[in-house]
Amino acid sequence: MLSHPDSAVENDQLRGYKEFQQHLKATEKTSQDLAIVSEQYFHHGRRAWFGHLDWVFDYLTETPGKIAVFAQIAAINGLLLVLYSGPLYKIAVRACFLGVIFGFGLVLSFSQTTWTHFGWYMCSLSFFHYSEYLVTAIINPRSLSLDSFLLNHSVEYTLAAVSSWVEFTVEKLMLPDMKQLSWLSVVGLLMVLCGEGLRKAAMLTAGSNFNHIVQNEKAQSHVLVTDGVYTFCRHPSYVGWFYWSIGTQVMLCNPVCTVGYTIASWRFFRERIEEEELFLIHFFSEDYVKYKKQVSTGLPFISGIRVN
């Protein structure tokens, strides 16, 4: 029986179409396999890279690691005691201590652990105190002292720091999911970085006019600084410290301390600004009064000392 020519053509077309579909499926499967292999390779490499830091973290949190850390700290302390004496030794010990804290913070920050955000906090805190001393040594070495680290700022400051550690630990044990709000911690980290940058910019701009202690007597070299970051607010160093302190608690996802730090910092800087501006008006008279009218303090709901 003879087949119709049109039927033969249709069969050839149908066969070609099926072969084309099979080719597409094979190509698609190959692409998917390549994508899976690439993803597996990427994650394997990532785990391998972070695995070294995870091993360091696990070692440091075990008993042998703790013993090794204490032994190393004791050895460094002994070496510093031999190399330095008197005030230099005290400075070296504090700088070394802050460096160790910063190092532990880096390990936590880059390890696959739920303590990552606390590692950010450790780096932020240690860098803040170390840079306070370093920048003061650069801009105003005559006022430099152990207190320039601001480690012993006040009893209230120490209690505030300890309370934040306690809150973070308790909430992490009872509500662990609350401490994994990465987006909120990133917001806190940005507040910390901006606050730190603004404060150090203010210190560098003020130069030798900057001092950690409110001055009640005008030095011969003391001038009124109104340029740089001081064109935007009268007290940029306080503004930076204010948002830095709040940012540390936002970064740790500490709701109680975030509110507490905001209230305590606001009250502290309100009283500090009023006290400082009394002396600034005495030092610079109408020049500061004019500057005060043109530029705000930079802090919310704080206008400074009232002038009639």
Side-chain angles (χ1 to χ4, degrees):
M1 183 177 179
L2 297 174
S3 60
H4 195 277
D6 293 340
S7 299
V9 173
E10 290 178 357
N11 290 335
D12 290 340
Q13 291 178 345
L14 182 61
R15 190 182 307 109
Y17 178 71
K18 289 182 177 179
E19 290 177 355
F20 179 70
Q21 281 187 326
Q22 291 176 355
H23 176 71
L24 286 177
K25 290 181 179 179
T27 304
E28 184 178 357
K29 186 175 186 303
T30 303
S31 300
Q32 291 176 348
D33 292 341
L34 287 173
I36 293 173
V37 171
S38 299
E39 185 177 0
Q40 290 177 346
Y41 179 79
F42 171 76
H43 286 295
H44 175 73
R46 185 174 181 271
R47 285 195 299 268
W49 190 85
F50 281 104
H52 298 292
L53 290 176
D54 291 337
W55 176 84
V56 173
F57 175 74
D58 293 338
Y59 176 74
L60 292 176
T61 53
E62 294 175 355
T63 302
K66 293 178 181 178
I67 296 175
V69 169
F70 286 123
Q72 185 177 9
I73 292 175
I76 294 175
N77 186 56
L79 179 62
L80 293 175
L81 186 59
V82 173
L83 295 176
Y84 303 101
S85 60
L88 290 179
Y89 168 73
K90 295 178 181 179
I91 295 171
V93 166
R94 285 160 174 76
C96 182
F97 169 73
L98 292 173
V100 170
I101 298 300
F102 188 86
F104 282 144
L106 284 180
V107 172
L108 287 176
S109 299
F110 290 99
S111 297
Q112 290 183 325
T113 173
T114 57
W115 291 82
T116 298
H117 300 150
F118 196 81
W120 297 359
Y121 170 80
M122 293 175 66
C123 291
S124 302
L125 187 66
S126 56
F127 181 81
F128 171 81
H129 287 286
Y130 179 80
S131 61
E132 286 291 309
Y133 185 90
L134 179 62
V135 175
T136 303
I138 295 172
I139 63 173
N140 194 3
R142 291 183 178 180
S143 67
L144 193 65
S145 67
L146 283 177
D147 294 336
S148 299
F149 282 108
L150 298 183
L151 290 172
N152 56 341
H153 180 271
S154 63
V155 176
E156 292 80 7
Y157 183 82
T158 303
L159 291 176
V162 174
S163 64
S164 70
W165 307 338
V166 172
E167 181 186 353
F168 180 85
T169 305
V170 171
E171 290 175 351
K172 181 172 172 51
L173 294 175
M174 299 182 65
L175 301 169
D177 293 338
M178 189 177 73
K179 297 301 179 182
Q180 300 306 311
L181 300 175
S182 297
W183 67 269
L184 186 60
S185 295
V186 170
V187 171
L189 179 61
L190 291 175
M191 291 177 64
V192 166
L193 293 176
C194 293
E196 177 77 30
L198 179 59
R199 178 168 174 82
K200 294 308 182 287
M203 293 174 67
L204 291 171
T205 302
S208 60
N209 299 285
F210 181 88
N211 200 303
H212 284 123
I213 301 174
V214 175
Q215 301 297 294
N216 54 14
E217 293 183 3
K218 182 183 177 183
Q220 292 183 352
S221 60
H222 197 175
V223 297
L224 179 61
V225 181
T226 59
D227 59 341
V229 291
Y230 287 86
T231 59
F232 304 105
C233 53
R234 299 200 305 271
H235 301 278
S237 64
Y238 294 159
V239 175
W241 197 352
F242 177 76
Y243 287 107
W244 175 89
S245 64
I246 299 173
T248 60
Q249 300 312 300
V250 175
M251 184 166 55
L252 292 176
C253 300
N254 283 352
V256 176
C257 280
T258 297
V259 176
Y261 271 49
T262 302
I263 296 174
S265 297
W266 185 87
R267 293 182 62 182
F268 171 78
F269 287 121
R270 183 191 62 181
E271 296 174 0
R272 176 96 170 192
I273 288 174
E274 290 180 355
E275 177 188 2
E276 183 172 320
E277 289 193 337
L278 281 174
F279 294 109
L280 289 174
I281 293 174
H282 176 67
F283 295 162
F284 304 107
S285 304
E286 290 299 324
D287 289 338
Y288 189 80
V289 173
K290 181 179 178 181
Y291 173 62
K292 183 180 183 300
K293 292 179 180 180
Q294 295 174 342
V295 183
S296 67
T297 63
L299 290 168
F301 309 109
I302 298 179
S303 58
I305 193 71
R306 293 184 179 182
V307 180
N308 294 325

